[in-house]
């Protein structure tokens, strides 16, 4: 009888664990659905880079653009910089462009230091205005978007991935 009760308890615990896991999975996919939707036009922006040159997203129509929202205070954002530099150098001649957009709370001097330290060749745009974060519905740093040649969002990447190249 005791064996039966233990077995019943173990089975009930397993059922609860599995059902809680599925519920969490469902919640995650719902919250991701609230973020920018796939195939939606990427919100336009007009920003300057760290040297004062003007950029806007529509200038890149006809190219695949990787919008990388990052912050100077975000360690994972800085961790992915070497991979992004390498990817940009490898694919920029094939119609691919990375744009780094800093977010509110970033330190401009620190961004300039990082640009030099990591030899970042793609534009680092000063997106420190809060409305850009709102228009892209940013919740986590880093967050990146793959924008197709027609300006539509094809993929959203939340956080750092081990192999950025495969995700792009």
């Amino acid at each position: 009888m005791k064996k039966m009760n233990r077995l019943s308890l173990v089975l009930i615990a397993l059922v609860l664990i599995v059902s809680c896991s599925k519920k969490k999975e469902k919640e995650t996919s719902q919250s991701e659905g609230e973020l920018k939707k796939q195939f939606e036009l990427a919100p336009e922006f007009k920003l300057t880079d760290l040297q004062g040159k003007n950029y806007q997203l529509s200038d890149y129509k006809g190219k695949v653009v990787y919008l990388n929202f990052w912050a100077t205070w975000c360690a994972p954002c800085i961790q992915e910089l070497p991979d992004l530099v390498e990817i940009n150098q490898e694919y920029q001649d094939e119609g691919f462009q990375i744009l780094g957009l800093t977010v509110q709370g970033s330190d401009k001097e620190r961004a300039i230091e990082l640009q030099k330290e990591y030899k970042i060749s793609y534009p680092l745009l000063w997106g420190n205005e809060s409305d850009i974060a709102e228009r892209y519905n940013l919740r986590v740093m880093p967050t990146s978007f793959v924008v197709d040649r027609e300006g539509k969002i094809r993929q959203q990447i939340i956080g750092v991935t081990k192999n950025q190249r495969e995700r792009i």
Side-chain angles (χ1 to χ4, degrees):
M1 190 70 151
K2 282 186 178 182
K3 273 189 172 181
M4 191 61 142
N5 284 338
R6 283 186 188 167
L7 183 59
S8 296
L9 287 174
V10 169
L11 288 174
I12 290 170
L14 284 173
V15 167
L16 287 173
I17 290 169
V18 169
S19 65
C20 289
S21 297
K22 290 189 183 251
K23 184 177 181 185
K24 179 68 177 168
E25 203 173 276
K26 193 173 192 177
E27 288 172 4
T28 301
S29 62
Q30 285 176 344
S31 66
E32 287 174 5
E34 293 171 6
L35 302 172
K36 290 317 245 176
K37 294 179 182 162
Q38 208 173 20
F39 308 115
E40 180 179 305
L41 277 176
E44 178 64 274
F45 57 78
K46 293 180 183 178
L47 301 170
T48 58
D49 68 8
L50 297 174
Q51 291 71 37
K53 184 178 175 187
N54 293 318
Y55 289 83
Q56 55 188 46
L57 182 58
S58 58
D59 291 340
Y60 294 93
K61 195 162 186 154
K63 288 188 173 198
V64 174
V65 180
Y66 188 81
L67 299 176
N68 176 247
F69 288 88
W70 70 292
T72 57
W73 46 261
C74 169
C77 299
I78 295 168
Q79 175 188 341
E80 72 179 356
L81 289 175
D83 287 341
L84 294 175
V85 167
E86 186 179 312
I87 290 166
N88 190 65
Q89 289 173 345
E90 189 171 333
Y91 295 105
Q92 66 185 356
D93 293 336
E94 297 176 33
F96 178 81
Q97 179 65 55
I98 293 177
L99 298 175
L101 291 88
T102 59
V103 296
Q104 197 167 25
S106 287
D107 176 0
K108 194 170 188 176
E109 294 305 316
R110 178 69 177 133
I112 291 169
E113 289 172 14
L114 290 167
Q115 187 176 39
K116 290 176 185 173
E117 181 181 341
Y118 289 98
K119 298 180 175 106
I120 299 171
S121 58
Y122 57 86
L124 291 182
L125 307 181
W126 195 241
N128 219 6
E129 298 81 15
S130 62
D131 72 318
I132 190 123
E134 288 173 21
R135 285 188 282 148
Y136 279 87
N137 203 12
L138 300 178
R139 297 182 181 166
V140 176
M141 288 296 118
T143 296
S144 300
F145 296 90
V146 177
V147 179
D148 70 15
R149 297 176 193 280
E150 296 164 7
K152 295 178 183 174
I153 295 172
R154 290 296 177 155
Q155 184 177 14
Q156 180 178 26
I157 301 167
I158 298 172
V160 175
T161 58
K162 288 185 180 178
N163 192 343
Q164 212 56 358
R165 185 179 311 273
E166 285 180 15
R167 297 293 304 262
I168 297 173

